[in-house]
Amino acid sequence: MHVVDRRQNPKAKSLGNRQRFLRRVKSHMRKAFAESIRQRKIADLEGGQEVSISSKDLHEPTFHHDPKVGHRDYVLPGNHDYRPGDEIEKPSGGSGSGSGGSADGDGEDSFVFALTREEFLDLFFEDLELPNLAKRKLKSMASPSWVRAGYSTDGSPQRLNKRETMRRSLARRIALGRPKLAEVEALQAELQQAETAGDADEIARLRKLIDAQQTRMRAVPYLETVDLRYSRIQRVPKPTTQAVMFCLMDTSASMTEQLKDMAKRFYMLLHLFLKRHYKAVELVFIRHTYTAQEVDEQTFFHGRETGGTVVSSALEEMLKIVKQRYPVEDWNIYAAQASDGHNFDHDMPQTLRLLEQEILPICQYYAYIEVNDDQWPGDSVLWHGYFPLVDRHDNFAQAEVATASEIFPVFRDLFDSRQRSGSSTKPRVDR
Amino acid sequence: MNKRHGKLLYSGSQWDFRLLHRVYDAVEEIALGELGLDVYRNQIEVITSEQMLDAYAAIGMPLLYRHWSFGKRFAREELLYRKGAQSLAYELVINSQPCVSYVMEENTMTMQTLVIAHAAFGHNHFFKNNHLFRQWTRADRVLDELAYAKSYIADCEQRYGFAEVESLLDSAHALMSHGVNRYATRRRSPREQQARSEARRQHLESTYNDLWRTVPTESSDANEVRSIEQDENDIEAAALELPEENLLTFLANHAPKLKDWQREVLRIVRTLAQYFYPQRQTKMMNEGCATFVHYEIMNRLNHRGQIDEGSMLEFLHMHSAVVAQPNFDSRGFGGINPYALGYAMVRDIARICDDPDDEDRQWFPEIAGKGRSLETIRDAWEHYRDESFILQYLSPRLIREMRLFKVSDDADDEHMTVTAIHDESGYREVRRQLAAQYDISKQEPDIQISDANLKGNRRLVLTHRVRDGKLLEKSEANRILRHLAKLWGYRVRMVEVDAETKRPLSEYDAVSMP
């Protein structure tokens, strides 16, 4: 006999089977995903998902008897006091049929399949990738910091580490037997005594002794260059693993609940997406009418105000918050602006200036989505105003969404690296 | 029994490899020395619970080709396990040489001891000695065959694409329970087969005379020609050796449109099905054997003073959970528990051998009071399967103890009727019926390929011989027939015929989708 420890064997032997299974049920997964974003908060797509899959597509058929026809005899255990000829109520569950024979083969109605978070997200972000992520990652996903890294034997004077230097000096002095200053002074005091007493022999002995000591002290210096130690400080890149996502939205009366709902889904996708790249993702909600203010999620999606629309106020608010709380070197900044496209004409120059000169340079990515149930989307003030930016800036994109079902495709379009790497023309532009 | 060893093998619940070896040696001493078991070389493998789930999902096989249905099994098992609806089996054992038993790292030392006794000796002995396993499985080849299947199918996936292989496996799996040979046919060597077909050809040639076709007869020429065609078809059917119950084998050999690799995949699935066939026929005996063996060994270890009372209590707790048999009307009832029945029967045989009463003497004259209980039991393990084992050994006393009774259930009636109970007049009837319940060939639909036209319309015809009016479940049957038609490549027909009256009851038709 031998005992084999298989615990270290590669785990997840069934991974291949699991993948094949997932492939098989992909359409169910898509539906489950759509369902789950309808009900959740933006940041609330953590953890795995349980997906209920109807067994119809997954059922493996077998030849078996129809329990509803025919005659059967069987033996059961645990008779109480039935006599032959007695009648028994049929069990309501299916357990009465064929209790002995076919244990497998009876189908289950549906079963719940638990997706890991990774699997869940993989399904939906298969070929999505932040545009130019690699390039910008080098530039701004890492900011350097200085850390201690032991000692070195040379360096600038202000880095001299006195404690470490003295430790080495002391060790050397003890090892090489350098006389202590106190000892020499004691001898000199004795010599003085001997000189006053006029003891010639003693004077000669002490002189000789002191001489030898002093020679040794000169030969073994108190501090030598070999003792010197400098603190070494190293520059290491510190990865910034955090991102902040600005949700900007016009919340004036023209934004109906339905439009906001579409915007919400877009933000959710963006948030989910960012969570894949960063350890921490913070959300900032800025709503605006003619003035802008930072609000919580509840207010953001459910509050409703009236008043004119001044987009630049939201951009200013965003810049203010970035300055206060999200230093650009530590944070990856994303912004998504959702709007029905209205803005006062007189505000457009200011909006464009802010966006192009101040916001786009510090943003990893800025997406403008126009939620619109109009028949002629893409015919708004903002759309026309923003349109030239698409070509000038890699990190700016705009798209329009007319129904909820379009959100995911639009999101894909915006973030699909392959599409963006080519020409960045947008579909359905009014000319 | 005296406490001659008297030294505890272990104490506490922690296990380590040194203790595993020590316990194994002690168990082996009892299993081989006292119980007279005969086993394959053992290999014990320690795995984690996740790996156990993996093994479950792969229908207990250590390596298996990939298919989504195993992923589905895994998903289901895992969910049940995580939700606490189901605990994991403590062990898993593979009928191979060496016999591989999996033990989980989470087990306590007592559980490991139990598993070694149960799997590495109980099941192992059964695998090695039972005649069905000897006849149908080749323990020394299992692992090689599985490895071959896995790499062959992986290779096919590379070559022909996942989707292609997946849909082929879907179809093959649907027919899996009808991919076994229920009765051992004489295995012919390829040379013999060739000789047979040669002989058949020569016979046809020597008896064929073209002149007969021109001889005018009373019937019209057209009829005559058809009858010759009919003859040819009959000859053809004979060449195909119809009827054939092993659908997978038939398709692998004769389906006109399959490519060679597809035939090979069908053969692989058929081999797997055949491998499980003895297990399905001996489930109750096999578990009874393993349960009896572990119970004996644990008790003997305790008598020898090698395991302490605490471990014994832990063991008894698990043991009684395993052999519990809920009543038919209780919530936990899920059919007759094979562990409970198998174990009770083995104990009962031992009792009949060693300490019979008059009833036993009357029912079991060959073994009652003859002693040599272990020998008798080993003999039963070797020569029977569930059905015949019950028919031979289920005693009136056990029928009474389990309060077994027979009911008759007509689908059209509102009530079931009790037709026999555990009394003098009912014993034989209960026993006969219970045995029939374990007879797979009676429980599963009797479906055979009855006709195949290889030249004309190429239609394949199946016959389901219906007993007791038990027709097939329609939607399921239709789905399987579509799979069958896909493999066959042409139209497939199935008729359901009453087994006694030959009256046709129902009919199916499926066409091959392009």
Side-chain angles (χ1 to χ4, degrees), chain B residues 174-392:
Chain B
L175 300 169
M176 202 161 165
S177 61
H178 291 266
V180 292
N181 294 327
R182 282 165 217 279
Y183 309 100
T185 49
R186 202 163 61 83
R187 291 183 195 193
R188 296 190 191 95
S189 66
R191 184 176 302 172
E192 271 182 297
Q193 277 178 13
Q194 207 180 357
R196 272 169 60 89
S197 67
E198 179 64 14
R200 194 182 304 124
R201 194 181 59 78
Q202 282 183 359
H203 170 77
L204 290 178
E205 273 178 9
S206 63
T207 52
Y208 179 71
N209 187 338
D210 201 39
L211 274 179
W212 285 113
R213 198 161 51 82
T214 63
V215 176
T217 56
E218 287 164 47
S219 62
S220 74
D221 281 359
N223 269 344
E224 187 62 21
V225 171
R226 198 180 305 137
S227 96
I228 286 174
E229 262 176 19
Q230 191 61 47
D231 282 352
E232 277 180 356
N233 280 343
D234 286 350
I235 290 162
E236 217 170 60
L240 294 173
E241 301 186 34
L242 293 175
E244 169 66 62
E245 58 169 0
N246 190 335
L247 307 188
L248 283 179
T249 300
F250 182 86
L251 290 169
N253 292 338
H254 303 296
K257 283 186 173 172
L258 290 185
K259 303 196 179 65
D260 283 345
W261 69 269
Q262 292 169 316
R263 295 181 200 279
E264 183 62 14
V265 169
L266 293 191
R267 285 189 195 105
I268 284 171
V269 174
R270 186 202 64 194
T271 310
L272 197 64
Q274 196 72 56
Y275 175 85
F276 285 110
Y277 192 54
Q279 313 226 8
R280 285 160 63 207
Q281 291 186 85
T282 55
K283 167 96 175 144
M284 185 270 288
M285 281 184 80
N286 199 344
E287 295 303 353
C289 169
T291 307
F292 176 79
V293 166
H294 81 224
Y295 186 80
E296 281 295 311
I297 288 176
M298 294 302 279
N299 270 297
R300 289 173 194 232
L301 285 174
N302 185 33
H303 276 297
R304 290 170 168 213
Q306 287 177 305
I307 55 177
D308 60 24
E309 298 304 318
S311 304
M312 207 51 198
L313 280 176
E314 186 191 348
F315 155 68
L316 285 171
H317 179 71
M318 283 186 280
H319 175 78
S320 47
V322 165
V323 299
Q325 174 63 66
N327 285 344
F328 78 99
D329 53 356
S330 72
R331 276 172 59 91
F333 181 71
I336 289 180
N337 175 358
Y339 292 82
L341 181 61
Y343 174 68
M345 282 188 68
V346 176
R347 298 272 290 174
D348 199 44
I349 294 172
R351 183 190 59 77
I352 294 168
C353 292
D354 295 334
D355 182 23
D357 56 21
D358 288 344
E359 184 185 50
D360 297 319
R361 272 184 245 281
Q362 186 197 330
W363 280 67
F364 304 100
E366 312 83 24
I367 59 169
K370 299 278 194 331
R372 303 196 307 198
S373 53
L374 283 173
E375 208 181 308
T376 311
I377 293 167
R378 286 201 305 269
D379 184 68
W381 286 338
E382 190 177 334
H383 293 113
Y384 291 83
R385 59 186 178 131
D386 287 349
E387 179 236 354
S388 54
F389 182 62
I390 289 173
L391 219 47
Q392 181 71 24

Side-chain angles (χ1 to χ4, degrees), chain A residues 13-14 20 72 79-80 85, chain B residues 54 62 157 329 403 409 418:
Chain A
K13 239 177 162 181
S14 58
R20 282 164 177 73
R72 285 168 184 77
N79 180 20
H80 302 294
Chain B
D54 271 338
E157 283 180 341
D329 53 356
R403 306 188 69 82
D409 179 6
V418 175

